[in-house]
Amino acid sequence: MAFDGIFLSKIKEEIAACTDSRVDRIHQPAREELILTLRARGGARRLLLSANASSPRVHFTEHAPENPQNPPMFCMLLRKKLSGARLAAVRQHHLDRILFLDFEATNELGDPVVLTLSAEIMGRHSNLILSEGGRIVDAIKRVDVTTSSVRQVLPGLAYTLPPQSGKLNLAAASPREALARIAESGSLPLAKAVLNTVEGVSPLVAREIAYDAALGREATFDTLTAEERLRLERGLGRIRRVLEGQGQPTMLLDASGKPMEFIFFEVKQYGSQARCVPYESYSALADAFFAGRDIMERMKQRSADLHKLLNITCERVARKLQAQLEDLKRCQDREELKRKGDLISANLYQLQKGDRAARVVDFYSEDQREVEIPLDPRYTPAQNAARYYNEYKKADTAEKKLRELIASGRQELEYLDSVQDALARAETNAELSAIREELTQAGYLRPVRGARGMKPQRLGPLEFRSSDGYTIYCGRNNLQNERLTLRESRNYDLWLHVQKIPGSHTVVVSQGGPIPERTIEEAAVIAAYHSKARNSSKVPVDYVIIKNVKKIPGAKPGMVTYQGYQTAIVDPDEQLVERLAVTSQGGKRE
């Protein structure tokens, strides 16, 4: 990802256009992420600031992420200090990945003060720091001496800049000066030399400059021809022109259409392996690149305990199931126990108490061979025969019980797998709450103290409209799947589910006649996309009318059987699913 100093400078220009805006709202949707709503005469805009190590950045966003019920302490502090404050200035230190937002506000005494929110976009060292008069008020990530001996970030300390790199700033230095500095790199790979010399460029930009200069070959400055050095100087001039306002926000997509990188000019180094897509603004570009990733990251943080619970439970059930299978294998020898009992009973006349073994003719075998059967000398021959019969009965009873337990264990693993699939696809706190409620009802989670009588928000299924105008519903979790299929649907509605893979129940509402093939295919794509096979191709999806779908007696929620079905083979298609969606939240079916 190329959120470098130059890209940040272009974001700074977009934010600068909003100076004089007032801070209307402040939210902290994730542990290391803030959203400031800036309101001006032209309307309101949401400014996202993230110190997340995997995706640190600053940009305007069109997305409104779900906020936690109780705002974190840092969010409360910012609301106290910055609510109603005016954005007075936006600054960047050279081309470092540090952005300063200066706000004019009033303190508790009504005196005017200037507060600075510093966004340090530096990988795992990223931070959001509020300071006043050069002193730190607080930070979204406090850094003490046990974390860093170089620079502490704690309330009351003086705010100091991170250590500087000493690289050349092409906004102030000429491309020729940069070329002379790169020449000192000697045998260092050219891309590395550019990266070490020019301030504010990412590895992607450095590789592109080197690629253009050496026409794709691995090179060092020492091996460049005069013409290649000239191209290198022009490449450095290209960066300077971006700083002067000639850049183009560009997304790089791979062969499957998924975002790879983003940058401020066209990229050639990937050849046909990547496609460049221009965007209207740098914020729109960053917003599009990180949108899906943000949802996954937030859900990962909020659902970590559920993932851990499900993983531990699955491992426990799997170990128990394996032990039962081994016990069942041993039970398969039970006929040998009955056989020994029969042979002892048939030869009681030649055996006596105290014998340690019985050598008898095995009349069960074809060759009538003689076999030796161990005996307990403490018991009579008849008692020894009874012992073998008792062991046989125990093994026979155990086998029947084990088969029931094994079937139950496999069903439980299948259910837990379906919960893990629903958890992986959850995108909102409400969906997580519904999964928690489901696990609580199933006995995997303890009820939260003080939560008696508190019902989680009841979500409706996801709703779609087919190209032929048919309504399609898709469950979000097992409880909703069961409610949708067994309570809210009618006999001749069409039910769909991926074959032998965890996924959502999908229902097409019939309109009193046959459902068109195109609608069935679109519903199958929706079912495949909302399943564990989302990233697969040629996914088999079974479909049947609702009257042929039955709940498995005593089974977990969402576990059903069906018969008389047909199967469609489809490829999950995110774009089609988004196009057919009526709303991301769905609604309760009447």
Side-chain angles (χ1 to χ4, degrees), residues 415 418-419 422 431 433-442 456 458-459 461 475-488 505 551 555-559:
Y415 169 73
S418 70
V419 177
E431 288 176 299
S433 297
I435 293 173
R436 288 182 191 278
E437 176 66 16
E438 177 183 338
L439 291 173
T440 300
Q441 289 183 18
R458 179 169 174 177
L459 288 172
R476 301 169 190 260
N477 53 61
N478 287 308
L479 288 176
Q480 195 177 86
N481 284 338
E482 182 164 301
R483 190 164 62 243
L484 173 65
T485 299
L486 302 177
R487 300 180 192 172
E488 298 178 350
H505 293 200
K551 179 174 173 61
K556 301 287 187 183
M559 310 296 283

mmCIF file of all heavy atoms in Angstrom, residues 415 418-419 422 431 433-442 456 458-459 461 475-488 505 551 555-559:
data_model
loop_
_atom_site.group_PDB
_atom_site.id
_atom_site.type_symbol
_atom_site.label_atom_id
_atom_site.label_comp_id
_atom_site.label_asym_id
_atom_site.label_seq_id
_atom_site.Cartn_x
_atom_site.Cartn_y
_atom_site.Cartn_z
ATOM 1 N N TYR A 415 -22.736 -27.703 12.657
ATOM 2 C CA TYR A 415 -23.384 -26.498 13.164
ATOM 3 C C TYR A 415 -22.354 -25.424 13.508
ATOM 4 O O TYR A 415 -22.500 -24.253 13.128
ATOM 5 C CB TYR A 415 -24.213 -26.834 14.400
ATOM 6 C CG TYR A 415 -24.699 -25.618 15.149
ATOM 7 C CD1 TYR A 415 -25.718 -24.814 14.643
ATOM 8 C CD2 TYR A 415 -24.119 -25.245 16.359
ATOM 9 C CE1 TYR A 415 -26.150 -23.687 15.316
ATOM 10 C CE2 TYR A 415 -24.542 -24.113 17.040
ATOM 11 C CZ TYR A 415 -25.562 -23.348 16.513
ATOM 12 O OH TYR A 415 -25.981 -22.222 17.173
ATOM 13 N N SER A 418 -21.078 -23.757 10.549
ATOM 14 C CA SER A 418 -22.026 -22.783 9.990
ATOM 15 C C SER A 418 -21.990 -21.474 10.784
ATOM 16 O O SER A 418 -22.134 -20.389 10.217
ATOM 17 C CB SER A 418 -23.447 -23.361 9.978
ATOM 18 O OG SER A 418 -23.966 -23.468 11.292
ATOM 19 N N VAL A 419 -21.780 -21.555 12.110
ATOM 20 C CA VAL A 419 -21.678 -20.344 12.923
ATOM 21 C C VAL A 419 -20.398 -19.588 12.559
ATOM 22 O O VAL A 419 -20.394 -18.351 12.460
ATOM 23 C CB VAL A 419 -21.699 -20.676 14.430
ATOM 24 C CG1 VAL A 419 -21.515 -19.406 15.262
ATOM 25 C CG2 VAL A 419 -23.010 -21.343 14.807
ATOM 26 N N ALA A 422 -21.064 -17.732 9.383
ATOM 27 C CA ALA A 422 -21.869 -16.519 9.609
ATOM 28 C C ALA A 422 -21.036 -15.438 10.275
ATOM 29 O O ALA A 422 -21.152 -14.250 9.948
ATOM 30 C CB ALA A 422 -23.090 -16.864 10.472
ATOM 31 N N GLU A 431 -25.289 -7.819 13.860
ATOM 32 C CA GLU A 431 -25.107 -9.209 13.419
ATOM 33 C C GLU A 431 -24.275 -9.989 14.427
ATOM 34 O O GLU A 431 -24.551 -11.162 14.707
ATOM 35 C CB GLU A 431 -24.460 -9.231 12.036
ATOM 36 C CG GLU A 431 -25.403 -8.787 10.934
ATOM 37 C CD GLU A 431 -24.718 -8.715 9.580
ATOM 38 O OE1 GLU A 431 -23.760 -7.935 9.429
ATOM 39 O OE2 GLU A 431 -25.152 -9.439 8.666
ATOM 40 N N SER A 433 -24.154 -9.354 17.627
ATOM 41 C CA SER A 433 -25.025 -9.553 18.787
ATOM 42 C C SER A 433 -25.967 -10.723 18.560
ATOM 43 O O SER A 433 -26.244 -11.514 19.481
ATOM 44 C CB SER A 433 -25.827 -8.277 19.065
ATOM 45 O OG SER A 433 -24.973 -7.210 19.410
ATOM 46 N N ALA A 434 -26.465 -10.857 17.332
ATOM 47 C CA ALA A 434 -27.372 -11.970 17.017
ATOM 48 C C ALA A 434 -26.641 -13.303 17.127
ATOM 49 O O ALA A 434 -27.203 -14.291 17.604
ATOM 50 C CB ALA A 434 -27.943 -11.785 15.609
ATOM 51 N N ILE A 435 -25.382 -13.342 16.696
ATOM 52 C CA ILE A 435 -24.603 -14.580 16.798
ATOM 53 C C ILE A 435 -24.310 -14.898 18.259
ATOM 54 O O ILE A 435 -24.364 -16.057 18.686
ATOM 55 C CB ILE A 435 -23.309 -14.463 15.971
ATOM 56 C CG1 ILE A 435 -23.654 -14.381 14.473
ATOM 57 C CG2 ILE A 435 -22.376 -15.640 16.238
ATOM 58 C CD1 ILE A 435 -22.477 -14.090 13.573
ATOM 59 N N ARG A 436 -24.010 -13.863 19.056
ATOM 60 C CA ARG A 436 -23.797 -14.081 20.489
ATOM 61 C C ARG A 436 -25.059 -14.651 21.143
ATOM 62 O O ARG A 436 -25.004 -15.557 21.976
ATOM 63 C CB ARG A 436 -23.410 -12.768 21.174
ATOM 64 C CG ARG A 436 -22.014 -12.280 20.848
ATOM 65 C CD ARG A 436 -21.688 -11.001 21.615
ATOM 66 N NE ARG A 436 -20.475 -10.398 21.118
ATOM 67 C CZ ARG A 436 -19.248 -10.761 21.465
ATOM 68 N NH1 ARG A 436 -19.108 -11.742 22.353
ATOM 69 N NH2 ARG A 436 -18.194 -10.177 20.969
ATOM 70 N N GLU A 437 -26.211 -14.091 20.761
ATOM 71 C CA GLU A 437 -27.484 -14.564 21.304
ATOM 72 C C GLU A 437 -27.713 -16.021 20.914
ATOM 73 O O GLU A 437 -28.161 -16.839 21.737
ATOM 74 C CB GLU A 437 -28.627 -13.686 20.782
ATOM 75 C CG GLU A 437 -30.020 -14.135 21.190
ATOM 76 C CD GLU A 437 -30.271 -14.024 22.685
ATOM 77 O OE1 GLU A 437 -29.491 -13.333 23.376
ATOM 78 O OE2 GLU A 437 -31.231 -14.643 23.162
ATOM 79 N N GLU A 438 -27.391 -16.362 19.690
ATOM 80 C CA GLU A 438 -27.549 -17.746 19.227
ATOM 81 C C GLU A 438 -26.657 -18.695 20.029
ATOM 82 O O GLU A 438 -27.111 -19.764 20.466
ATOM 83 C CB GLU A 438 -27.182 -17.828 17.741
ATOM 84 C CG GLU A 438 -27.251 -19.230 17.169
ATOM 85 C CD GLU A 438 -26.815 -19.283 15.719
ATOM 86 O OE1 GLU A 438 -26.850 -18.233 15.036
ATOM 87 O OE2 GLU A 438 -26.439 -20.384 15.267
ATOM 88 N N LEU A 439 -25.406 -18.317 20.241
ATOM 89 C CA LEU A 439 -24.487 -19.170 21.000
ATOM 90 C C LEU A 439 -24.892 -19.255 22.460
ATOM 91 O O LEU A 439 -24.670 -20.283 23.114
ATOM 92 C CB LEU A 439 -23.059 -18.637 20.870
ATOM 93 C CG LEU A 439 -22.420 -18.778 19.483
ATOM 94 C CD1 LEU A 439 -21.082 -18.063 19.431
ATOM 95 C CD2 LEU A 439 -22.250 -20.250 19.118
ATOM 96 N N THR A 440 -25.491 -18.189 22.981
ATOM 97 C CA THR A 440 -25.978 -18.212 24.361
ATOM 98 C C THR A 440 -27.152 -19.183 24.485
ATOM 99 O O THR A 440 -27.211 -20.000 25.412
ATOM 100 C CB THR A 440 -26.404 -16.805 24.810
ATOM 101 O OG1 THR A 440 -25.281 -15.917 24.721
ATOM 102 C CG2 THR A 440 -26.923 -16.821 26.235
ATOM 103 N N GLN A 441 -28.085 -19.108 23.539
ATOM 104 C CA GLN A 441 -29.240 -20.015 23.556
ATOM 105 C C GLN A 441 -28.801 -21.470 23.401
ATOM 106 O O GLN A 441 -29.408 -22.376 23.966
ATOM 107 C CB GLN A 441 -30.214 -19.647 22.443
ATOM 108 C CG GLN A 441 -30.966 -18.343 22.673
ATOM 109 C CD GLN A 441 -31.980 -18.060 21.579
ATOM 110 O OE1 GLN A 441 -32.370 -18.957 20.820
ATOM 111 N NE2 GLN A 441 -32.420 -16.817 21.482
ATOM 112 N N ALA A 442 -27.725 -21.681 22.629
ATOM 113 C CA ALA A 442 -27.239 -23.044 22.399
ATOM 114 C C ALA A 442 -26.380 -23.554 23.552
ATOM 115 O O ALA A 442 -25.973 -24.716 23.564
ATOM 116 C CB ALA A 442 -26.439 -23.097 21.097
ATOM 117 N N PRO A 456 -31.671 -8.434 22.035
ATOM 118 C CA PRO A 456 -30.867 -7.788 21.012
ATOM 119 C C PRO A 456 -31.741 -7.310 19.857
ATOM 120 O O PRO A 456 -32.851 -7.815 19.654
ATOM 121 C CB PRO A 456 -29.922 -8.912 20.547
ATOM 122 C CG PRO A 456 -30.643 -10.177 20.886
ATOM 123 C CD PRO A 456 -31.437 -9.872 22.127
ATOM 124 N N ARG A 458 -33.562 -7.052 16.655
ATOM 125 C CA ARG A 458 -33.940 -8.129 15.734
ATOM 126 C C ARG A 458 -33.745 -7.650 14.303
ATOM 127 O O ARG A 458 -34.410 -6.725 13.844
ATOM 128 C CB ARG A 458 -35.387 -8.554 15.965
ATOM 129 C CG ARG A 458 -35.813 -9.646 14.997
ATOM 130 C CD ARG A 458 -37.134 -10.257 15.372
ATOM 131 N NE ARG A 458 -37.595 -11.189 14.376
ATOM 132 C CZ ARG A 458 -38.703 -11.921 14.474
ATOM 133 N NH1 ARG A 458 -39.446 -11.801 15.553
ATOM 134 N NH2 ARG A 458 -39.054 -12.745 13.524
ATOM 135 N N LEU A 459 -32.818 -8.283 13.634
ATOM 136 C CA LEU A 459 -32.522 -7.936 12.249
ATOM 137 C C LEU A 459 -33.394 -8.748 11.310
ATOM 138 O O LEU A 459 -33.658 -9.928 11.546
ATOM 139 C CB LEU A 459 -31.059 -8.229 11.933
ATOM 140 C CG LEU A 459 -30.009 -7.297 12.541
ATOM 141 C CD1 LEU A 459 -28.631 -7.865 12.276
ATOM 142 C CD2 LEU A 459 -30.134 -5.915 11.954
ATOM 143 N N PRO A 461 -33.868 -10.391 7.413
ATOM 144 C CA PRO A 461 -32.925 -10.996 6.468
ATOM 145 C C PRO A 461 -32.479 -9.970 5.432
ATOM 146 O O PRO A 461 -33.118 -8.941 5.241
ATOM 147 C CB PRO A 461 -33.740 -12.120 5.831
ATOM 148 C CG PRO A 461 -35.170 -11.671 5.960
ATOM 149 C CD PRO A 461 -35.237 -10.908 7.252
ATOM 150 N N GLY A 475 -30.800 -15.261 4.805
ATOM 151 C CA GLY A 475 -30.558 -15.205 6.246
ATOM 152 C C GLY A 475 -29.135 -14.789 6.576
ATOM 153 O O GLY A 475 -28.209 -15.015 5.811
ATOM 154 N N ARG A 476 -28.968 -14.197 7.773
ATOM 155 C CA ARG A 476 -27.646 -13.727 8.208
ATOM 156 C C ARG A 476 -26.982 -14.698 9.174
ATOM 157 O O ARG A 476 -25.764 -14.681 9.319
ATOM 158 C CB ARG A 476 -27.778 -12.372 8.925
ATOM 159 C CG ARG A 476 -28.390 -11.258 8.102
ATOM 160 C CD ARG A 476 -28.690 -10.095 9.027
ATOM 161 N NE ARG A 476 -29.479 -9.051 8.410
ATOM 162 C CZ ARG A 476 -28.996 -7.918 7.928
ATOM 163 N NH1 ARG A 476 -27.707 -7.695 7.968
ATOM 164 N NH2 ARG A 476 -29.783 -7.003 7.399
ATOM 165 N N ASN A 477 -27.774 -15.515 9.882
ATOM 166 C CA ASN A 477 -27.233 -16.454 10.871
ATOM 167 C C ASN A 477 -28.214 -17.618 10.992
ATOM 168 O O ASN A 477 -29.270 -17.633 10.350
ATOM 169 C CB ASN A 477 -27.012 -15.760 12.213
ATOM 170 C CG ASN A 477 -28.251 -15.042 12.706
ATOM 171 O OD1 ASN A 477 -29.290 -15.657 12.935
ATOM 172 N ND2 ASN A 477 -28.175 -13.718 12.854
ATOM 173 N N ASN A 478 -27.880 -18.593 11.819
ATOM 174 C CA ASN A 478 -28.692 -19.808 11.901
ATOM 175 C C ASN A 478 -30.088 -19.564 12.460
ATOM 176 O O ASN A 478 -31.069 -20.149 11.981
ATOM 177 C CB ASN A 478 -27.965 -20.852 12.749
ATOM 178 C CG ASN A 478 -26.778 -21.450 12.022
ATOM 179 O OD1 ASN A 478 -26.906 -21.922 10.902
ATOM 180 N ND2 ASN A 478 -25.618 -21.424 12.651
ATOM 181 N N LEU A 479 -30.195 -18.711 13.487
ATOM 182 C CA LEU A 479 -31.528 -18.423 14.035
ATOM 183 C C LEU A 479 -32.407 -17.774 12.980
ATOM 184 O O LEU A 479 -33.592 -18.095 12.840
ATOM 185 C CB LEU A 479 -31.395 -17.505 15.259
ATOM 186 C CG LEU A 479 -30.830 -18.134 16.541
ATOM 187 C CD1 LEU A 479 -30.666 -17.069 17.624
ATOM 188 C CD2 LEU A 479 -31.747 -19.247 17.039
ATOM 189 N N GLN A 480 -31.808 -16.853 12.223
ATOM 190 C CA GLN A 480 -32.583 -16.176 11.188
ATOM 191 C C GLN A 480 -32.887 -17.120 10.026
ATOM 192 O O GLN A 480 -33.974 -17.070 9.445
ATOM 193 C CB GLN A 480 -31.809 -14.964 10.691
ATOM 194 C CG GLN A 480 -32.675 -13.991 9.895
ATOM 195 C CD GLN A 480 -31.884 -12.769 9.494
ATOM 196 O OE1 GLN A 480 -31.223 -12.775 8.465
ATOM 197 N NE2 GLN A 480 -31.938 -11.730 10.306
ATOM 198 N N ASN A 481 -31.938 -18.006 9.707
ATOM 199 C CA ASN A 481 -32.185 -19.005 8.660
ATOM 200 C C ASN A 481 -33.404 -19.848 9.004
ATOM 201 O O ASN A 481 -34.285 -20.087 8.168
ATOM 202 C CB ASN A 481 -30.965 -19.923 8.512
ATOM 203 C CG ASN A 481 -29.817 -19.253 7.782
ATOM 204 O OD1 ASN A 481 -30.014 -18.296 7.039
ATOM 205 N ND2 ASN A 481 -28.612 -19.759 7.982
ATOM 206 N N GLU A 482 -33.453 -20.301 10.255
ATOM 207 C CA GLU A 482 -34.573 -21.154 10.674
ATOM 208 C C GLU A 482 -35.894 -20.387 10.655
ATOM 209 O O GLU A 482 -36.918 -20.910 10.190
ATOM 210 C CB GLU A 482 -34.289 -21.704 12.078
ATOM 211 C CG GLU A 482 -35.371 -22.642 12.567
ATOM 212 C CD GLU A 482 -34.901 -23.466 13.752
ATOM 213 O OE1 GLU A 482 -33.907 -24.183 13.609
ATOM 214 O OE2 GLU A 482 -35.551 -23.371 14.813
ATOM 215 N N ARG A 483 -35.860 -19.151 11.130
ATOM 216 C CA ARG A 483 -37.085 -18.345 11.139
ATOM 217 C C ARG A 483 -37.564 -18.074 9.715
ATOM 218 O O ARG A 483 -38.757 -18.177 9.407
ATOM 219 C CB ARG A 483 -36.802 -17.032 11.878
ATOM 220 C CG ARG A 483 -38.039 -16.208 12.163
ATOM 221 C CD ARG A 483 -37.770 -15.137 13.205
ATOM 222 N NE ARG A 483 -36.768 -14.173 12.759
ATOM 223 C CZ ARG A 483 -35.593 -14.005 13.356
ATOM 224 N NH1 ARG A 483 -35.253 -14.732 14.400
ATOM 225 N NH2 ARG A 483 -34.731 -13.109 12.893
ATOM 226 N N LEU A 484 -36.614 -17.739 8.839
ATOM 227 C CA LEU A 484 -36.968 -17.436 7.449
ATOM 228 C C LEU A 484 -37.553 -18.648 6.743
ATOM 229 O O LEU A 484 -38.586 -18.560 6.069
ATOM 230 C CB LEU A 484 -35.718 -16.938 6.713
ATOM 231 C CG LEU A 484 -35.844 -16.714 5.198
ATOM 232 C CD1 LEU A 484 -36.836 -15.594 4.913
ATOM 233 C CD2 LEU A 484 -34.479 -16.393 4.594
ATOM 234 N N THR A 485 -36.919 -19.813 6.920
ATOM 235 C CA THR A 485 -37.325 -21.013 6.185
ATOM 236 C C THR A 485 -38.577 -21.662 6.749
ATOM 237 O O THR A 485 -39.504 -22.022 6.004
ATOM 238 C CB THR A 485 -36.164 -22.035 6.182
ATOM 239 O OG1 THR A 485 -35.035 -21.447 5.537
ATOM 240 C CG2 THR A 485 -36.557 -23.305 5.456
ATOM 241 N N LEU A 486 -38.629 -21.801 8.077
ATOM 242 C CA LEU A 486 -39.681 -22.624 8.680
ATOM 243 C C LEU A 486 -40.873 -21.833 9.191
ATOM 244 O O LEU A 486 -41.923 -22.418 9.460
ATOM 245 C CB LEU A 486 -39.081 -23.446 9.825
ATOM 246 C CG LEU A 486 -37.914 -24.371 9.425
ATOM 247 C CD1 LEU A 486 -37.357 -25.074 10.643
ATOM 248 C CD2 LEU A 486 -38.362 -25.381 8.375
ATOM 249 N N ARG A 487 -40.746 -20.508 9.331
ATOM 250 C CA ARG A 487 -41.860 -19.738 9.884
ATOM 251 C C ARG A 487 -42.383 -18.677 8.928
ATOM 252 O O ARG A 487 -43.591 -18.454 8.849
ATOM 253 C CB ARG A 487 -41.437 -19.057 11.193
ATOM 254 C CG ARG A 487 -40.993 -20.025 12.272
ATOM 255 C CD ARG A 487 -40.587 -19.269 13.526
ATOM 256 N NE ARG A 487 -39.891 -20.128 14.479
ATOM 257 C CZ ARG A 487 -39.304 -19.708 15.582
ATOM 258 N NH1 ARG A 487 -39.334 -18.413 15.892
ATOM 259 N NH2 ARG A 487 -38.684 -20.548 16.380
ATOM 260 N N GLU A 488 -41.487 -18.002 8.248
ATOM 261 C CA GLU A 488 -41.913 -16.828 7.486
ATOM 262 C C GLU A 488 -42.162 -17.114 6.004
ATOM 263 O O GLU A 488 -42.740 -16.277 5.316
ATOM 264 C CB GLU A 488 -40.855 -15.717 7.620
ATOM 265 C CG GLU A 488 -40.672 -15.259 9.070
ATOM 266 C CD GLU A 488 -39.593 -14.200 9.224
ATOM 267 O OE1 GLU A 488 -38.865 -13.955 8.236
ATOM 268 O OE2 GLU A 488 -39.470 -13.621 10.315
ATOM 269 N N HIS A 505 -29.534 -19.634 4.301
ATOM 270 C CA HIS A 505 -30.760 -20.064 3.629
ATOM 271 C C HIS A 505 -31.237 -18.900 2.761
ATOM 272 O O HIS A 505 -31.280 -17.750 3.215
ATOM 273 C CB HIS A 505 -31.846 -20.411 4.642
ATOM 274 C CG HIS A 505 -31.536 -21.632 5.462
ATOM 275 N ND1 HIS A 505 -32.507 -22.340 6.127
ATOM 276 C CD2 HIS A 505 -30.368 -22.270 5.716
ATOM 277 C CE1 HIS A 505 -31.955 -23.355 6.767
ATOM 278 N NE2 HIS A 505 -30.646 -23.321 6.533
ATOM 279 N N LYS A 551 -37.202 -29.493 9.275
ATOM 280 C CA LYS A 551 -36.201 -29.365 10.334
ATOM 281 C C LYS A 551 -35.808 -30.739 10.849
ATOM 282 O O LYS A 551 -36.655 -31.621 10.981
ATOM 283 C CB LYS A 551 -36.730 -28.506 11.490
ATOM 284 C CG LYS A 551 -35.725 -28.351 12.638
ATOM 285 C CD LYS A 551 -36.220 -27.377 13.688
ATOM 286 C CE LYS A 551 -35.272 -27.366 14.897
ATOM 287 N NZ LYS A 551 -33.900 -26.944 14.539
ATOM 288 N N ALA A 555 -32.295 -31.020 16.324
ATOM 289 C CA ALA A 555 -31.035 -30.468 15.810
ATOM 290 C C ALA A 555 -30.887 -29.000 16.188
ATOM 291 O O ALA A 555 -31.826 -28.350 16.654
ATOM 292 C CB ALA A 555 -30.961 -30.633 14.295
ATOM 293 N N LYS A 556 -29.684 -28.482 15.983
ATOM 294 C CA LYS A 556 -29.391 -27.080 16.246
ATOM 295 C C LYS A 556 -30.152 -26.193 15.264
ATOM 296 O O LYS A 556 -30.638 -26.664 14.230
ATOM 297 C CB LYS A 556 -27.888 -26.823 16.099
ATOM 298 C CG LYS A 556 -27.014 -27.645 17.029
ATOM 299 C CD LYS A 556 -27.104 -27.168 18.454
ATOM 300 C CE LYS A 556 -26.094 -27.892 19.338
ATOM 301 N NZ LYS A 556 -26.216 -27.494 20.747
ATOM 302 N N PRO A 557 -30.271 -24.888 15.563
ATOM 303 C CA PRO A 557 -30.986 -23.979 14.654
ATOM 304 C C PRO A 557 -30.406 -23.992 13.246
ATOM 305 O O PRO A 557 -29.195 -24.038 13.061
ATOM 306 C CB PRO A 557 -30.779 -22.607 15.314
ATOM 307 C CG PRO A 557 -30.522 -22.896 16.737
ATOM 308 C CD PRO A 557 -29.798 -24.193 16.782
ATOM 309 N N GLY A 558 -31.315 -23.959 12.271
ATOM 310 C CA GLY A 558 -30.889 -23.874 10.878
ATOM 311 C C GLY A 558 -30.565 -25.197 10.225
ATOM 312 O O GLY A 558 -30.285 -25.244 9.026
ATOM 313 N N MET A 559 -30.592 -26.309 10.984
ATOM 314 C CA MET A 559 -30.249 -27.623 10.442
ATOM 315 C C MET A 559 -31.516 -28.265 9.876
ATOM 316 O O MET A 559 -32.463 -28.532 10.621
ATOM 317 C CB MET A 559 -29.633 -28.506 11.515
ATOM 318 C CG MET A 559 -28.495 -27.851 12.286
ATOM 319 S SD MET A 559 -27.062 -27.477 11.270
ATOM 320 C CE MET A 559 -26.336 -29.088 11.121
#
